[in-house]
Amino acid sequence: MLSVPLVMVLLALAIALALVFMRPERASDSSPGGEAQRAFGDCERLLQLVHSLQQHRGMSTAWLAGDALFESPMRARRRAVQHDIEALETTARAEMALEGPCITRYELALLDAQWKELCAALDGSPAAIGADDNLTRHSLLVSHVLGWLAAVGNRRIAPVAASSGSGLLRTWISTLPALGEQLGQARAVGSAAAARGICTAAERMRLMYLASRAESLMHQAIADTPRLPGALPATERIVRLLGLLRSDLLGATDRMTAELYFAEATAAIDAIYAWMTSCEDALRGVLAQQVASAG
């Protein structure tokens, strides 16, 4: 049987060894650099949810406007949205362990409930919800997620990225997501108009505003992050979409099918997300240099 002093010595040794192995992991997780690295994954998950919500919005709006071909892909996209919401549980849990969380589990649960309520309305009484209300409710959900994205980027990444990465960060978490959202709304409005074969005066005004806003954001992103690999193909796609919108959709809607317009808009939006990826890659490089120099 071990003596009491020997037991105390062994216990102290075990505690010391545990502290040795635990301390580096805690320092890595709680340091600004560790939080910034985790935040990259959180921002990616948030952007994926935005992307899925935008696609479901466009498909469901065109479906409500009378194009039955969108029903099957809409339901498939709905499953993707639910998966993306559930994937954010990890983000919310990690944020709640930090001071001033950017997203809480309560907020995520509220968004999940609003999403499920919207899906139930689409399934139960699609005629009652209407294309305009559907677009508005989807856009509010997207707005919430974009707010979380900006908060995570500004609180977790910005302090480490410093001034050398500020332009890249702003473009990644703000300018390009806003550009994608303008075109996402234009995709939904335009697809509904094309599905009906008529573009109303209100839709024309909204599309003209969205096109103008998109052009402004595109130029801002180019100015803030010149020479990024994804910029040129994205701008070419955006210019092509806006030209298609102005010449065909606003001119003679009967020449434009909802499927064709949706595909063109989706190609432009996907190019923006590829632009975001090149922006993220460049920002990771800046962050690595900042952490290395600080160390």
Side-chain angles (χ1 to χ4, degrees), residues 60-286:
S60 57
T61 303
W63 174 67
L64 287 169
D67 194 324
L69 292 176
F70 282 95
E71 182 172 6
S72 179
M74 174 191 72
R75 296 192 181 281
R77 185 52 50 188
R78 184 178 298 181
R79 292 189 290 272
V81 171
Q82 190 60 49
H83 175 271
D84 293 339
I85 292 176
E86 292 169 1
L88 282 173
E89 180 68 23
T90 302
T91 298
R93 200 162 47 238
E95 277 293 324
M96 290 185 70
L98 300 173
E99 184 178 353
C102 302
I103 170 176
T104 66
R105 298 179 74 183
Y106 170 77
E107 291 170 325
L108 184 62
L110 181 59
L111 181 122
D112 185 36
Q114 292 170 336
W115 161 249
K116 289 176 177 174
E117 182 182 4
L118 175 56
C119 292
L122 286 169
D123 288 339
S125 54
I129 184 172
D132 288 343
D133 188 28
N134 177 64
L135 195 152
T136 299
R137 292 172 69 171
H138 272 90
S139 298
L140 286 173
L141 294 176
V142 171
S143 178
H144 286 315
V145 184
L146 289 177
W148 295 338
L149 172 68
V152 171
N154 286 320
R155 293 183 192 175
R156 311 301 176 211
I157 300 177
V160 181
S163 59
S164 58
S166 60
L168 285 166
L169 179 62
R170 180 171 59 252
T171 304
W172 184 45
I173 66 170
S174 179
T175 309
L176 289 181
L179 172 57
E181 175 58 4
Q182 300 305 302
L183 294 188
Q185 291 186 30
R187 175 175 57 185
V189 175
S191 296
R196 291 193 310 268
I198 298 173
C199 190
T200 67
E203 287 171 335
R204 288 174 188 272
M205 290 184 63
R206 186 167 189 174
L207 287 170
M208 289 174 65
Y209 168 78
L210 292 170
S212 176
R213 180 65 177 147
E215 283 183 327
S216 176
L217 289 166
M218 179 183 69
H219 291 305
Q220 180 181 335
I222 293 171
D224 286 343
T225 55
R227 297 183 298 279
L228 277 180
L232 181 58
T235 53
E236 290 176 344
R237 276 290 184 178
I238 294 167
V239 170
R240 172 173 170 161
L241 173 64
L242 296 180
L244 184 69
L245 186 156
R246 288 165 173 154
S247 64
D248 288 353
L249 194 61
L250 294 181
T253 309
D254 57 348
R255 294 186 308 186
M256 175 68 63
T257 66
E259 291 80 16
L260 175 59
Y261 178 75
F262 188 92
E264 287 289 344
T266 298
I269 294 169
D270 287 348
I272 293 172
Y273 277 86
W275 190 356
M276 290 183 204
T277 299
S278 66
C279 191
E280 177 189 354
D281 291 342
L283 183 60
R284 282 183 181 274
V286 171

